[in-house]
């Protein structure tokens, strides 16, 4: 499943997300959700240790002036890669 997180990690129920994650799932941070991919974010270590792949949309990172602050454990992707993720995951859940 692909989880898209569009809200700030401070306005999102990450505890619920942690309970839903399964092997093979991916999380894509978009809009204000890219804040969750910033180095030092409180939730990032748990997300990394869950074994899922984390992505963040490049355009949203740049729009918020956060380029260079994203963890190296988060893959920065563009819209083409976003489309590829939606093709890969037939099931998707937006937060």
């Amino acid at each position: 499943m692909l989880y898209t997180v569009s809200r700030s990690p401070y306005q999102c129920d990450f505890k619920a997300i942690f309970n839903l994650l399964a092997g093979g799932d991916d999380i894509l941070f978009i809009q204000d959700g890219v804040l969750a991919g910033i180095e030092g974010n409180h939730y990032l270590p748990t997300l990394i240790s869950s074994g899922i792949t984390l992505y963040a949309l490049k355009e949203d990172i740049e729009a918020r002036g956060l380029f260079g602050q994203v963890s190296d454990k988060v893959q920065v992707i563009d819209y083409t890669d976003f489309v590829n993720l939606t093709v890969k995951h037939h099931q998707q859940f937006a937060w």
Side-chain angles (χ1 to χ4, degrees), residues 12 15 39 41 76 85:
C12 189
K15 290 180 183 180
E39 192 65 53
N41 181 281
V76 178
L85 280 175

Side-chain angles (χ1 to χ4, degrees), residues 11-95:
Q11 297 176 331
C12 189
D13 188 359
F14 269 95
K15 290 180 183 180
I17 293 174
F18 296 146
N19 291 330
L20 295 173
L21 294 175
D25 288 346
D26 293 326
I27 292 182
L28 172 62
F29 302 123
I30 58 174
Q31 300 172 359
D32 286 340
V34 298
L35 295 170
I38 299 303
E39 192 65 53
N41 181 281
H42 174 74
Y43 298 105
L44 195 55
T46 306
L47 289 168
I48 292 168
S49 68
S50 70
I52 61 166
T53 307
L54 304 173
Y55 301 92
L57 194 60
K58 179 177 112 178
E59 288 80 1
D60 289 335
I61 293 167
E62 291 173 343
R64 287 154 182 79
L66 299 173
F67 212 79
Q69 298 179 47
V70 177
S71 168
D72 61 354
K73 304 292 185 189
V74 177
Q75 296 180 37
V76 178
I77 63 171
D78 61 18
Y79 280 105
T80 301
D81 297 319
F82 185 175
V83 172
N84 291 334
L85 280 175
T86 63
V87 170
K88 174 184 172 186
H89 295 281
H90 296 277
Q91 293 183 326
Q92 299 166 29
F93 195 93
W95 287 90

